[in-house]
Amino acid sequence: MRYSKDAMLFDVRYSRKPESFEVVYWNPVTRQLEVEYEEPIVDIWFLKKEERTNKRQIAEVEMNRCYQFWCKPSQIPAVIAQEIGGDWADFYNANREQMSRNDLAKKMCECPWVFVADFDPAVHFRLRWLDEYGTNIDLTKVTEAQLDIECDVIDKPANASDIEDSSNPINAISLILDHVKICVLFVLGPRPKHKLDKKFWDYRDMQVKEYEWLVKHQEEFKERIRNYDEDNIQYLKDFEIRLHIFDFEDEYKMIKTVYDYINKYRPMFCESWNAKFDHPRLWHRLEYLGYDAKSCIIPKAFKTDQVYYKEDTSGAFQLKNSKDWFYTSTYAVWICQERLFAAIRKSQQERRSYSLSSVGKDMCGIDKLSDTKSGTFRMFAYTDFLNFLLYNVRDTVVQYAIALKTRDAQTLVSRSFKFLTPYPKCFQETHIVRNSREYYYRKFSSIVQACKLLYDTTMDTAFKGAYVAPPEKNAPTGLVLNGKRHNNIIYGSLDADAASYYPSTKMGMNMDPMTLIYKLRINNAVFKSHEASNRSLNQNYYWYDSKNRPHDEDMSGPLINAY
């Protein structure tokens, strides 16, 4: 690789057009994020011909039983057909024009003699980076920005459930860039009267009055932002406060200027609380106004043009498990700070609320602003315009305070780097276990993993839970305290739920039905019809799982024990 030994890998993404690795890294010379494009070469492994005696997949295999093949991700199905031949080559040739690229690759990777072929391509680059530059990472280089937007809702509520609904004007945006100590407020001027229903004109006049004061007293208002209260003073005392004011007809320029700031100062993360509202709305608002959003969002150094928001459609939504993600060809990763906060703490006690106000008060003792002359938020921007702007800035100050307290961005970078896992997958255990295990397998055990393991859906894999003995029945073989051995503090013991193990681990340890070679089965009908006599202590021929589904009782153990 061609990177300085002091460079820090921030992100790597596999792109199909152009097919490449898009590598975003911290450059120690420029002291900011830069982007490079690498040829997307991955290594897949094939069992040697003389070793291909298995009919089913093997969870992992020693490297010396395999040979390595280097290719581009797009070439993997063809390479498998070429190296395996037979039915697999026939399937590939018959379906390469009909099947989608993803479906064809997924099917070809089911071959039991192919290994590591279905990993995210970026994982291969991360493996090589760790081999060359080591596993240490300097988290002090992590930078982040906090962003919050407000919409004009006087005549139409903003539809928070529809990420593409951007018909409401964006009238205020605040941005905090900690690493360059800049706090920026972007303000959109009042709507022209002809764009408002006549019943709102009196409210507009109130807004215009405060807006005109703002235009004439910008320096005074910037000091009001910094010195609003003790909390603002604490967090903004070292910041340069900037104010950009735009005429209503220049809303496009305002939004573009926000992206210009992000792309100029290149924070690693651009964070919003409930980003599902803010991030897509900025992008779609540009399109609503008739402009090319990608030309504003994507920096010129990028060769890819990815900008899309992927919603979690699983239907079983919990914030801490949400898979929503904003994919962009940018230096910064656009991320929901609220979701990140919840995901990092998902194993802790469930919070009653993840609102910005609740988390800010609990974590930092700081709250959003609520002091306003306006009776409803709908009228806030019109009846109390200056406080509305202060409210917008305060939201980002609360976000900033939470970021300083929790250091969640550093946790995410560390997690991605150590587990060789792209940011969107960093809280999905199957990905982090599989990716990090591949690194340690290769480095210390000379082993590679299988592709995603298949299950025989016709098999009844239910099993009865183990008998859990009361802890007080344990033998006193543990730690010696006060001259007496304890029966519940025992070194070298493991308490684990085998059913929750990663699938390939269960197969590798021969604890999975798929690895069963032979099982004694006794037909319980012979006992129920009295053709045979059951003299064991177990006289029940069915058991019921947690969903109250019946299964035949396995009588082989009791009968052999009784015999």
Side-chain angles (χ1 to χ4, degrees):
M1 293 186 182
R2 52 182 171 174
Y3 303 92
S4 163
K5 64 180 180 64
D6 295 321
M8 170 182 156
L9 179 64
F10 172 62
D11 200 7
V12 54
R13 309 147 189 166
Y14 168 66
S15 169
R16 291 184 175 179
K17 293 183 180 180
E19 189 170 14
S20 58
F21 284 138
E22 187 173 77
V23 183
V24 181
Y25 69 103
W26 186 84
N27 188 321
V29 177
T30 62
R31 302 194 65 78
Q32 64 180 2
L33 293 179
E34 304 288 354
V35 63
E36 295 286 348
Y37 288 85
E38 303 280 357
E39 191 174 10
I41 301 299
V42 302
D43 61 317
I44 60 178
W45 295 72
F46 295 93
L47 269 180
K48 296 174 182 177
K49 289 185 178 181
E50 62 271 20
E51 297 282 352
R52 296 176 188 174
T53 57
N54 57 302
K55 294 181 179 180
R56 299 190 182 213
Q57 290 168 300
I58 305 171
E60 57 266 329
V61 68
E62 299 84 354
M63 288 181 176
N64 59 14
R65 296 176 59 196
C66 304
Y67 63 92
Q68 192 176 22
F69 197 105
W70 298 86
C71 65
K72 293 183 178 181
S74 62
Q75 299 169 334
I76 288 177
V79 168
I80 294 175
Q82 168 191 307
E83 295 299 306
I84 300 300
D87 292 342
W88 294 96
D90 293 342
F91 179 87
Y92 172 78
N93 292 326
N95 293 278
R96 60 181 178 179
E97 301 296 335
Q98 287 78 25
M99 294 181 70
S100 71
R101 176 176 168 177
N102 283 344
D103 289 343
L104 181 59
K106 183 178 179 180
K107 182 63 180 177
M108 296 299 290
C109 288
E110 292 178 4
C111 176
W113 306 317
V114 180
F115 296 82
V116 206
D118 64 343
F119 276 65
D120 184 318
V123 174
H124 292 266
F125 183 91
R126 290 175 180 271
L127 283 167
R128 295 198 292 273
W129 183 285
L130 263 60
D131 280 339
E132 186 159 344
Y133 297 101
T135 58
N136 293 326
I137 185 170
D138 184 359
L139 295 176
T140 63
K141 295 184 174 71
V142 176
T143 56
E144 50 193 313
Q146 290 75 38
L147 178 138
D148 185 62
I149 73 171
E150 307 295 345
C151 292
D152 189 338
V153 293
I154 191 170
D155 55 351
K156 177 182 176 293
N159 186 356
S161 62
D162 184 356
I163 64 172
E164 296 186 6
D165 180 10
S166 296
S167 54
N168 298 78
I170 297 174
N171 52 4
I173 305 172
S174 53
L175 177 68
I176 287 180
L177 295 150
D178 178 40
H179 61 296
V180 289
K181 291 293 183 277
I182 294 173
C183 173
V184 199
L185 174 62
F186 306 86
V187 180
L188 190 66
R191 283 202 231 185
K193 279 190 172 182
H194 71 272
K195 293 193 174 184
L196 269 177
D197 191 291
K198 193 172 183 178
K199 65 183 179 182
F200 298 123
W201 283 7
D202 289 343
Y203 296 114
R204 180 189 177 278
D205 291 341
M206 297 170 64
Q207 184 187 59
V208 168
K209 184 177 178 181
E210 295 201 0
Y211 173 78
E212 290 175 345
W213 181 93
L214 175 68
V215 172
K216 296 175 182 177
H217 302 84
Q218 295 186 36
E219 293 303 318
E220 182 180 340
F221 188 73
K222 285 193 279 187
E223 286 307 306
R224 187 185 297 188
I225 291 173
R226 188 195 313 277
N227 300 313
Y228 180 84
D229 64 7
E230 291 300 320
D231 289 322
N232 274 23
I233 292 172
Q234 175 185 349
Y235 291 105
L236 297 180
K237 62 183 178 181
D238 298 325
F239 278 72
E240 176 189 353
I241 310 295
R242 296 183 182 179
L243 182 61
H244 296 292
I245 302 174
F246 299 83
D247 292 336
F248 183 82
E249 301 300 332
D250 291 331
E251 184 182 358
Y252 155 76
K253 292 181 180 178
M254 179 184 73
I255 298 174
K256 183 180 183 303
T257 305
V258 173
Y259 287 120
D260 289 344
Y261 263 89
I262 298 293
N263 292 333
K264 176 180 179 181
Y265 293 108
R266 304 180 187 180
M268 293 181 177
F269 297 98
C270 185
E271 306 164 347
S272 291
W273 208 264
N274 187 20
K276 189 174 182 177
F277 178 87
D278 298 62
H279 294 170
R281 201 160 298 266
L282 274 178
W283 154 39
H284 287 302
R285 184 62 185 170
L286 286 174
E287 295 179 333
Y288 182 90
L289 294 170
Y291 293 92
D292 178 17
K294 288 185 177 181
S295 66
C296 299
I297 299 172
I298 302 173
K300 289 183 171 55
F302 281 73
K303 299 177 182 178
T304 58
D305 63 348
Q306 181 172 250
V307 178
Y308 73 96
Y309 194 91
K310 184 177 181 181
E311 288 189 273
D312 185 348
T313 57
S314 65
F317 173 77
Q318 283 185 302
L319 182 64
K320 62 187 178 183
N321 297 321
S322 170
K323 297 178 183 178
D324 288 341
W325 198 263
F326 190 25
Y327 292 88
T328 58
S329 296
T330 56
Y331 297 106
V333 170
W334 293 71
I335 192 169
C336 179
Q337 188 180 5
E338 180 186 20
R339 177 218 173 188
L340 178 61
F341 179 88
I344 287 176
R345 294 160 183 81
K346 68 179 180 180
S347 62
Q348 300 178 14
Q349 182 177 359
E350 190 74 33
R351 289 182 59 88
R352 296 184 64 182
S353 171
Y354 285 101
S355 71
L356 181 60
S357 177
S358 174
V359 175
K361 285 187 289 188
D362 290 349
M363 301 301 296
C364 318
I366 184 173
D367 196 4
K368 294 160 57 103
L369 299 186
S370 56
D371 184 19
T372 173
K373 297 176 288 186
S374 179
T376 64
F377 188 83
R378 176 186 175 192
M379 312 301 297
F380 196 1
Y382 285 79
T383 59
D384 202 359
F385 184 62
L386 296 178
N387 270 339
F388 172 77
L389 298 178
L390 291 170
Y391 170 94
N392 176 241
V393 176
R394 180 54 166 256
D395 279 4
T396 55
V397 173
V398 177
Q399 289 177 238
Y400 175 53
I402 294 170
L404 288 179
K405 179 72 173 181
T406 62
R407 299 295 180 184
D408 286 345
Q410 286 86 337
T411 300
L412 181 59
V413 171
S414 174
R415 196 179 183 100
S416 173
F417 187 81
K418 297 288 187 182
F419 296 148
L420 302 92
T421 303
Y423 293 109
K425 309 292 186 184
C426 268
F427 294 97
Q428 297 178 37
E429 283 77 6
T430 53
H431 290 277
I432 63 176
V433 169
R434 193 178 186 213
N435 296 345
S436 57
R437 187 168 61 179
E438 184 66 18
Y439 171 75
Y440 288 104
Y441 271 6
R442 293 193 185 198
K443 190 170 182 68
F444 300 109
S445 303
S446 297
I447 289 174
V448 289
Q449 295 179 83
C451 299
K452 186 177 180 180
L453 295 166
L454 304 175
Y455 280 89
D456 184 348
T457 56
T458 64
M459 294 178 64
D460 182 2
T461 59
F463 59 91
K464 296 177 70 173
Y467 172 73
V468 180
E472 61 268 19
K473 302 296 184 182
N474 290 348
T477 57
L479 184 69
V480 177
L481 288 177
N482 298 324
K484 183 180 179 181
R485 284 194 177 275
H486 271 236
N487 69 344
N488 54 11
I489 307 177
I490 303 171
Y491 288 121
S493 63
L494 172 68
D495 180 11
D497 180 6
S500 299
Y501 283 178
Y502 193 65
S504 61
T505 299
K506 289 192 285 185
M507 289 186 179
M509 302 299 291
N510 200 27
M511 297 188 297
D512 189 272
M514 291 287 287
T515 60
L516 189 65
I517 297 174
Y518 175 77
K519 174 73 174 74
L520 174 61
R521 289 286 186 188
I522 297 177
N523 186 354
N524 294 346
V526 299
F527 302 117
K528 289 182 283 187
S529 65
H530 304 292
E531 294 178 46
S533 176
N534 174 11
R535 297 181 182 178
S536 76
L537 296 176
N538 187 3
Q539 298 294 316
N540 296 316
Y541 299 112
Y542 296 101
W543 65 274
Y544 294 84
D545 62 23
S546 59
K547 296 182 179 179
N548 205 35
R549 294 174 300 195
H551 301 272
D552 282 336
E553 181 67 77
D554 182 0
M555 297 298 298
S556 57
L559 290 177
I560 289 179
N561 289 337
Y563 181 82

